Amino acid sequence: MTSPPLVVDLDGTLIHSDMLHESTLKVLRERPLDVLRIPFWLLQGKAVLKSRLAERMALDPHLLPYNGALLEWLKQQRASGRKLVLCTASDSRIAQVIADHLGIFDEVIASDGATNQAGQQKAETLQARFGKTGFDYAGNSSADLKVWKHARHGIVVNASAGLATQAKAVCEIEQVFPAPSAGLSTWSRALRVHQWMKNVLLFMPLLAAHQLTNVQAWKDLLLAFIAFSLCASSVYISNDLLDLDSDRQHLRKRKRPFASGTLPVFLGVLVSPLLLAASLVLAAQIGTSFFHWLLLYFALTLAYSFGIKRLMLLDCLTLAMLYTIRIVAGAAAAGLTLSFWLLAFAVFLFLSLAFLKRYAELESQSLQGNTKAHGRGYYTSDAPLLQTLGVAASYASVLVLALYLNSEAVTKLYRTPEFVWGAVPIMAFWVSWMWMQAHRGNMHDDPVVFALKDKASLATGVAFAAVLALGALV
């Protein structure tokens, strides 16, 4: 007996994402003014909305997060002679591009700008095309219950245990493909909790001013740390959502929760503004000055995400400023005055780390055979020049540190400045070590994360702290 056609849903089933959400984000990134038209398109119906978005986006089907287990099973079904049909509520232009790319579907049924092929409408379309129980159906959502009700067999994909139970009540389930795990560790990676260590820079002005016994300053800085961390996580999520295509072409970034489809895009759209709101509420409790610096940080990160990151050199300068703003904001939260030396040292050091980050990315892209970094304003051939600029900035930071240690401020803060001079060769070693690791291809594309895991960097940090402590106490 010949098996009936196997009908496969697209969003959340064949791919670990939703093309309506992805197309909206793509239009937001590439044609932001068109986003203002979305409410008017939606008033004309979801089919019209999907059509307008589809005609404004260029889809690369190679980059989508396909459900690997389901796709392999479908290929086996096709090899056995079974007819496969892609039936989706996504627009027909998107569905056809994906079907052509995969090359396993015999037919495509999709929304066409007038009819939205979802839920009951999809069920009626399939009944008219194949007859009642004349097809098997693979789906993932509660809307698919209306389709399973008229299918011979059901294939449940990426669904909760509750939905699987509901599906079994309306038709015989042939196969179940479980949803990817999305627990606390997944959200930790989405929020980039490990990146919160960068916000320790907020405490630098307090340490540099030797105000370790200022209890109120510590309390304010702790709140500031939480506020900056929540704001940073909001930005990280937004950046990931806007950078899906670039991340999916990166060896490591393609595994990020939103790029891989482990977390649905719409959750990121909901969580990001909530994190920002919580951050601003905390910042308002600390003081007006800190609140303004946090707003500047957020505005600059948005500008970076929407365009600056695609501009060569300006992207690195912006990254350096984002690091430096943390120090300035820390001084504002603690009510301290920043020294010129600390700011100058920070700017050059963080500029070096920004160049190091780009250099590592370009080296990685070069190993993949690419001549241009996707979503960036660099060619892989620019790596040697970035290396030169970064090393120069590194040693400029060491020079500023040396000049600071010869200033009057040091004699006022440290009992034995001679011990503190040891910080200069220690810093020179560390920046040289970091660039050597990058040159050898050992560098994580985020130097700060690399340094937190690197034994030599941690030992250097301990040595740096030790000479400062000796200079202050002995």
Side-chain angles (χ1 to χ4, degrees), residues 7-9 12-13 137-141 144 148 154-159 163:
V7 181
V8 185
D9 183 35
T13 303
Y137 181 72
N140 73 295
S141 71
D144 291 321
W148 278 318
I155 296 90
V156 179
V157 185
N158 293 339
L163 181 59

Side-chain angles (χ1 to χ4, degrees), residues 227-241:
F228 247 86
S229 297
L230 294 178
C231 181
S233 289
S234 171
V235 171
Y236 289 139
I237 290 176
S238 298
N239 192 55
D240 284 354
L241 295 177

Side-chain angles (χ1 to χ4, degrees), residues 204-255:
M204 186 175 287
L206 187 70
L207 301 176
H210 291 199
Q211 296 288 317
L212 302 183
T213 59
N214 190 333
V215 177
Q216 184 58 48
W218 280 104
K219 291 180 179 178
D220 290 337
L221 284 171
L222 181 59
L223 280 180
F225 176 86
I226 297 172
F228 247 86
S229 297
L230 294 178
C231 181
S233 289
S234 171
V235 171
Y236 289 139
I237 290 176
S238 298
N239 192 55
D240 284 354
L241 295 177
L242 294 172
D243 223 15
L244 290 174
D245 286 352
S246 294
D247 285 353
R248 287 168 180 165
Q249 295 185 58
H250 194 280
L251 286 174
R252 183 185 61 82
K253 294 180 181 179
R254 68 178 62 170
K255 298 178 182 178

